[in-house]
Amino acid sequence: GQQLNQSPQSMFIQEGEDVSMNCTSSSIFNTWLWYKQDPGEGPVLLIALYKAGELTSNGRLTAQFGITRKDSFLNISASIPSDVGIYFCAGRSGGGADGLTFGKGTHLIIQP
Amino acid sequence: EPEVTQTPSHQVTQMGQEVILRCVPISNHLYFYWYRQILGQKVEFLVSFYNNEISEKSEIFDDQFSVERPDGSNFTLKIRSTKLEDSAMYFCAAGARKDTQYFGPGTRLTVL
């Protein structure tokens, strides 16, 4: 099946730093989504991207849909303690495929 | 965005028993999904449901699984004869469009 390679696996940063994470795939996706998951909870949708080259912001979060449609990145500016959690990218290939393919997640840890 | 809700939050069952997990999507949602997440791993797609029928299912979704939306509101996932390896978080997701999926808080299934 399709796979998404998400990196880095974990990040240890200081409060106030900017964060960048990305996902790549060997196959094309028509939609890229970024989710945040806190322990014991469901993924919360942060940003949805629907076309190649699209750059979308949600507060301090910015995500881009790669031109090749095989990658996406998420940036978080000026990190704060509540940004701690696991960030997942997810892609939908489109056509008759409805299910999302998820990356393995980036665990963000903010050191005081 | 109003929330997708799920019940129960935690289900403990004996191996071989049937379990039914329930989801209440938002009223304008048309597309419904079940995903699972084994502890410490990525989220995996199980099945999608649209217009009262399955539109896509993964290899995980074998004959032991079934879904239905009997009353036009609740969306259920049934596992007929649970196995130890079915222990996981099960997430319902829903959306008004295919490429934007909102996740519920999950049901933690523990099979003993």
Side-chain angles (χ1 to χ4, degrees):
Chain A
Q2 295 172 316
Q3 290 202 9
L4 293 182
N5 299 309
Q6 185 171 351
S7 64
Q9 185 175 359
S10 58
M11 300 184 72
F12 295 81
I13 64 166
Q14 299 286 333
E15 182 178 349
E17 288 186 20
D18 296 343
V19 171
S20 184
M21 60 191 78
N22 69 85
C23 272
T24 60
S25 171
S26 58
S27 54
I28 287 172
F29 285 96
N30 287 334
T31 305
W32 284 93
L33 304 170
W34 285 92
Y35 291 87
K36 178 175 183 278
Q37 186 178 32
D38 292 327
E41 299 184 13
V44 175
L45 182 61
L46 300 174
I47 292 180
L49 302 160
Y50 303 113
K51 56 182 182 179
E54 180 180 354
L55 182 70
T56 297
S57 293
N58 178 8
R60 294 179 294 104
L61 278 61
T62 301
Q64 183 157 32
F65 191 146
I67 291 291
T68 65
R69 295 199 282 158
K70 293 182 179 182
D71 64 313
S72 176
F73 72 74
L74 174 71
N75 288 341
I76 305 173
S77 63
S79 58
I80 60 177
S82 60
D83 291 335
V84 166
I86 302 177
Y87 292 79
F88 289 98
C89 62
R92 177 176 170 267
S93 57
D98 300 335
L100 298 178
T101 299
F102 276 77
K104 293 185 177 181
T106 294
H107 193 178
L108 180 62
I109 299 163
I110 298 178
Q111 297 169 328
Chain B
E1 179 77 22
E3 295 181 350
V4 175
T5 58
Q6 290 184 242
T7 58
S9 57
H10 191 185
Q11 175 89 48
V12 181
T13 189
Q14 295 289 328
M15 189 170 56
Q17 294 297 304
E18 175 184 286
V19 294
I20 297 176
L21 311 182
R22 292 182 171 81
C23 170
V24 181
I26 308 308
S27 58
N28 68 330
H29 286 171
L30 301 175
Y31 300 89
F32 311 101
Y33 313 83
W34 283 101
Y35 292 82
R36 79 171 184 191
Q37 185 179 33
I38 295 171
L39 184 64
Q41 298 186 22
K42 67 178 182 179
V43 178
E44 300 175 292
F45 169 71
L46 294 178
V47 66
S48 59
F49 191 85
Y50 170 71
N51 202 24
N52 277 328
E53 61 182 20
I54 291 174
S55 48
E56 186 191 10
K57 56 184 180 180
S58 72
E59 293 176 350
I60 303 170
F61 193 88
D62 61 22
D63 292 343
Q64 292 299 311
F65 292 90
S66 62
V67 291
E68 63 176 2
R69 194 166 177 240
D71 57 5
S73 176
N74 293 301
F75 178 50
T76 63
L77 173 70
K78 181 192 293 186
I79 309 175
R80 289 190 184 83
S81 179
T82 50
K83 304 185 288 288
L84 294 176
E85 53 264 39
D86 293 329
S87 295
M89 285 289 287
Y90 287 81
F91 294 108
C92 170
R97 50 188 290 184
K98 271 189 188 182
D99 48 13
T100 306
Q101 299 181 21
Y102 296 93
F103 282 70
T107 293
R108 179 174 297 283
L109 177 64
T110 302
V111 182
L112 302 176

